[in-house]
Amino acid sequence: MAGPRVVIIGAGVVGAALADEISARGWTEVTVVDQGPLPATGGSSSHAPGLVFQANSSKTMTELARYTVEKFCSLDVDGQPCFLQVGGLEVATTPERVTELHRRQGWLTSWGVESRIVTADECVDMHPLVNRDRVHAGLHIPTDGLAKAVLAVEAQIRRATGRGVTFLARHEVLDVLQADGEVTGVRTDQGDLQADIVVCCAGIWGPRIARMAGMNLPLTPLAHQLAWTGPVPALAGQTEEAVRPILRHQDADLYYRDRHDTLGIGYYGHRPMPITADDILSVDEADGMPSVLKFTEDDFADAWTETQSLLPATREAKIEEAINGLFSFTTDGLPLLGESPDVKGFWVAEAVWVTHSAGVGRAVAEWLVDGHCSSFDLHECDVNRFEPHQLAPEYVLARDCQNFVEVYDILHPLQPSGDPRPLRTSPFYARQQELGAFFQEANGWERPHWYEANAGLVEGRSIVTPNDWAARYWSPIIGAEAQATRETVAMYDMTALKRLEVSGRGAAGFLERLCTGKVAKSVGSVTYTLLLDHDGGIRSDITVARLAPDLFQVGANGNLDLDWFTRHLPADGTVQVRDITPGTCCIGLWGPLARDVLQPLTDDDFSAAGLKYFRAKRAHIGSVPVTAMRLSYVGELGWELYTTADQGLKLWDTLWRAARPLGGVAAGRGAFNSLRLEKGYRSFGTDMTYEHDPYEAGVGFAVKADKEDFVGKAALERRRADVRRKLTCLTIEDPRAVVMGKEPVYDGQRAVGHVTSAAFGHTIGKGIAYAWLPAELAVAGRVLHIGYFDQRVEAVVAQEPLFDPAMSRLRG
C-alpha cells in the first residue's frame, strides 16, 4: 500500500529518519521538503558534534538513544560509517560526582544498557589526555559513540528514496494549508503540495512552522558553544577520526570528542543565549549555516581554562574554530511528539537531538501507521502533555533556559523547580503558608510536602532518618504526619489532581466505550477504571463518578487524559468534556476519626450505610456545598470533598475547626506517598505506563472482561494469557536504606528489573519499593537486591497490600 499523502517538513536527522521508517512500513506517498540543500540542510543536524551518550533518567529517552545507536551502526554511505562506536566516558572530579556516576550507572542497568564504573587509572588508560590528578572515577558505556549526523541523513534519504519517497531541497514552507479543521497540504515558495498528514520536523524553526497550523510549540532555540582546537601535539599522527571515547566532564559543563589530531569542546556553562524561531535567518539570508551564530569568546574563557587543566596536552594547542550553535530546548527536557489537538493531521516531531533521532523516527512512524507506538512508551514525550500555563511564552522561556543551565547538574528527584513560581495556588494556600508548608510544584500547583507546624508531632515518635540522598527535601515531620493520619484524622490538599466533567445525553455510552470498567451505573456510583490504547497498554487509571444521569466527574492524571477524551468525542455533539480543575478544589479528609469530624457539620448521613465505599453524593458541610466521594488513596476511612474555588477557603476553615479538637492535622504529599504505597495503590506515569497492561500492573480487577466492548479489549485478551513481568512489592528491613526510584533490581549478579515508586512505610516500619520483575521472581519471600548507588540493598518480595489487607479501615 502507498498509504496516505504525507509531507514531512525538515530533512534533518529527524525528518530523514521518519521518512526512512515510515516508508519501511509501506507508506511511500511521502514528500520531504527543506529550505536548505541536501543532506546538509543548515539546521542543527548540520553542525551537531554528534556525541551520543545513552545515560538518561528517562527509560524512554535511553531506549530512543539505544535504537539510534543500533540503527546508525548499521548505516553507511559508500563505505563511510554513520557511527563511530568509540564508547563514552563520563569522569568525576568531585566526590559528589562519583556518587552521581553510580546513580547514572544504575539507570543504565535498569534500562538494559551495558556500563560500569571505572577507576581513575582506567579513565586515563581509556583517554590518555586526561589529567590523573583531577579525576576520581569514571562511568564507561562501551556502546556510546559519535554519530555522523550528515552521513546518517544521507544514508536514510537514500533508503527512503529507494522506496519511492520524494525529497525536495530548497523549498521554503510558507504555510500549512487547512480546511474544516484538517490539513490539506503545504504551501512552499515553489508551489503547493497536497497532503493528508503533515509532520513538522523543522527543529529550531519548529515554533514558526507549528504556528502556521495554530499550534503553540513550547520550544526555545538556545545557542550552545562548540570549539575546535588546532593540532594537539600529543595526537600527532592520528589518522582515524576518533580512537578515544567521547568524554564528559559534567562538573564543569564540558564534553570532548576526537577529530583526528584535534579536539572538539562543547560547553554548557555559559549564560543562556535564547533566540526566537522568527529571528533565525533563512538559508539564503545566512552567511553559512543559519543555525550557527557568531562565537562569543568571553563566554568560553572558563571552559578553555578548565580544559587545559583536565586535558593538559591542550595547553600546546589553540582554539582555531568556534561557533555558537543553536539547539532546541523544552520546559522539561523532553521531545515534543504527536498530533495537534486542533488541526487533524498536523503532527510534530520536535526538540529531538541527534542522540534520539532514529528512535523518534521509528516511534512516530509506528504511531502514524499503526495508530499507537509499540516500541516505546511515549507518554513523557506527547506534545499534548502540557497545561495551559506551561505554554505561556514567559514560562517557556524561563524553564527552557533553566534546563540549559541544569543540563549537566546533579538533580535530586525532589529538587524544587525554579521560577516562575507560584503559578497556581489552591484556595487553601494562605492557610498552608500559615502552617509553614514546604511546597513542591505539581502541574503548576503549589502543593504541600509537609507542614512545619507539625514539628511537635515528631516528639515521642520513632521516625528513622534515611540515608543522606533520601534525606534531601525530607523532614521527620513526613513520618509524623503519616502516623497521625492512621491515628486520628488529616486534611490533604488534593486540588492539583486533574478533574474533568463529561456531560450530555451520550456521556454514559461514551465513557463505557473508553473505560475498562462498568461506569454507566446508578447515580452516585464511583468506579475505578482504566483507559487503554488500542494495543491494550494502559493510557491512564481514573475514577468516574456518576453525579446525574447525563453528568460524570472524572478524576484524571493529566492533560493527556483530556486530550484522549477530546479525540474520541462523537461528531454529533451529544457529549461534552470540560476541564473543571481550575474552578474547583478538593480536600481529602482521611483517618479513623474522619467521620467524627464530618458528621457533626452536616445534616446529611455520612454513616457507613449513608454513604458506602465508592459512592458519591451532593451535600452541605456547614454552609459549603460539596460533592463528597467515599474514596481514600491512603487506605483510611474518609472522603474526597470537592467544592468550587470560591468556597474552598470556607471548607478548609470549617473542617479545620472541627478536626483540631480531635487531634486532626494538615498533612502533605510526603506522608501521602508513604501511605499509598503501604496500600499498594499504583501511580500512573511512575508505576505503570503505556507499555504495561492491567494484568502485569496488578490492576486487572479494573477490567470487566464481560463488557461488550471497549477500546483495547481485543488486544488485551491476547495479552492476558502471556504475563511475563509483574509490578511487585518489595520491602526493605534496613530503615536507612530508603531508595528513591529507577534503581536496578538484582537476582544474584543478574539485573532483572527496576524500581518504580519507593518510600518508607511509617506504619509498617519498613522501606517499600515497587519494581517491575520477571513473573517467575514475583513470589512472596524471594530475596533480591536493589542497586542503590554503589550499594546492594537487600529486599524481599512481599504479599500486597502491606497494610489492612481486609480493607476494614476503608469500609468502616
Side-chain angles (χ1 to χ4, degrees), residues 240-254:
E240 294 182 63
E241 180 177 347
V243 297
R244 278 164 291 278
I246 55 175
L247 181 66
R248 273 209 278 212
H249 175 26
Q250 292 170 292
D251 285 318
D253 299 304
L254 285 161

Side-chain angles (χ1 to χ4, degrees), residues 137-195:
L139 171 62
H140 181 234
I141 308 96
T143 52
D144 285 351
L146 283 167
K148 307 287 289 180
V150 174
L151 281 179
V153 168
E154 185 173 357
Q156 292 174 104
I157 286 176
R158 290 184 181 186
R159 285 159 52 120
T161 301
R163 301 187 193 103
V165 174
T166 300
F167 285 81
L168 300 176
R170 298 287 184 180
H171 279 61
E172 182 180 358
V173 173
L174 305 177
D175 200 6
V176 175
L177 306 177
Q178 309 164 47
D180 300 321
E182 299 184 19
V183 295
T184 59
V186 169
R187 177 155 295 158
T188 78
D189 59 352
Q190 298 190 45
D192 293 353
L193 300 168
Q194 293 183 322

Side-chain angles (χ1 to χ4, degrees), residues 217-273:
L217 204 62
L219 179 159
T220 303
L222 281 117
H224 160 54
Q225 292 197 306
L226 176 65
W228 294 94
T229 69
V232 178
L235 303 182
Q238 180 177 318
T239 56
E240 294 182 63
E241 180 177 347
V243 297
R244 278 164 291 278
I246 55 175
L247 181 66
R248 273 209 278 212
H249 175 26
Q250 292 170 292
D251 285 318
D253 299 304
L254 285 161
Y255 64 77
Y256 305 94
R257 57 151 293 178
D258 287 11
R259 189 178 68 179
H260 302 293
D261 62 348
T262 69
L263 284 178
I265 307 169
Y267 186 45
Y268 288 103
H270 55 80
R271 60 192 169 89
M273 293 184 273

Side-chain angles (χ1 to χ4, degrees), residues 47 49 54 203 296 375 386 388 414 436 461 495 503 522 550 649 660:
H47 69 73
Q54 296 166 87
T296 51
S375 297
F386 301 105
L414 295 177
R461 297 178 185 273
T495 302
S503 61
S522 61
D550 294 340
L649 184 59
R660 288 302 291 158

Side-chain angles (χ1 to χ4, degrees), residues 9-70:
I9 302 172
V13 73
V14 180
L18 177 57
D20 179 34
E21 296 284 345
I22 202 171
S23 60
R25 285 162 177 76
W27 284 16
T28 55
E29 199 168 339
V30 178
T31 303
V32 185
V33 298
D34 199 291
Q35 63 177 332
L38 299 176
T41 62
S44 300
S45 303
S46 301
H47 69 73
L51 289 82
V52 175
F53 287 97
Q54 296 166 87
N56 198 292
S57 62
S58 164
K59 182 173 184 281
T60 297
M61 294 297 278
T62 295
E63 289 178 338
L64 292 169
R66 182 169 55 195
Y67 179 79
T68 301
V69 167
E70 292 170 356

Side-chain angles (χ1 to χ4, degrees), residues 74-196:
S74 71
L75 298 178
D76 71 90
V77 175
D78 302 329
Q80 299 180 76
C82 294
F83 196 79
L84 307 178
Q85 200 158 42
V86 292
L89 179 64
E90 302 183 8
V91 294
T93 59
T94 63
E96 293 79 13
R97 185 65 64 173
V98 174
T99 302
E100 171 70 358
L101 292 186
H102 280 285
R103 184 168 72 125
R104 296 172 66 79
Q105 199 269 338
W107 295 339
L108 288 161
T109 303
S110 290
W111 315 147
V113 177
E114 179 189 352
S115 66
R116 67 187 181 97
I117 299 295
V118 295
T119 66
D121 287 337
E122 289 176 297
C123 290
V124 176
D125 288 342
M126 293 178 187
H127 203 298
L129 271 62
V130 168
N131 183 349
R132 171 63 180 80
D133 294 338
R134 292 291 315 280
V135 177
H136 294 254
L139 171 62
H140 181 234
I141 308 96
T143 52
D144 285 351
L146 283 167
K148 307 287 289 180
V150 174
L151 281 179
V153 168
E154 185 173 357
Q156 292 174 104
I157 286 176
R158 290 184 181 186
R159 285 159 52 120
T161 301
R163 301 187 193 103
V165 174
T166 300
F167 285 81
L168 300 176
R170 298 287 184 180
H171 279 61
E172 182 180 358
V173 173
L174 305 177
D175 200 6
V176 175
L177 306 177
Q178 309 164 47
D180 300 321
E182 299 184 19
V183 295
T184 59
V186 169
R187 177 155 295 158
T188 78
D189 59 352
Q190 298 190 45
D192 293 353
L193 300 168
Q194 293 183 322
D196 305 300

Side-chain angles (χ1 to χ4, degrees), residues 11-12 76 162 291 378 434 452 698 742 763 774:
D76 71 90
S291 60
L378 296 181
E434 292 167 4
E452 287 295 332
K742 302 187 178 181
T763 312

Side-chain angles (χ1 to χ4, degrees), residues 55 68 104 195 232 251 274 326 334 362 391 401 506 726 776:
T68 301
R104 296 172 66 79
V232 178
D251 285 318
L326 294 175
L334 294 165
R362 178 175 181 172
L391 300 176
C401 289
K726 287 187 176 181
E776 64 271 18

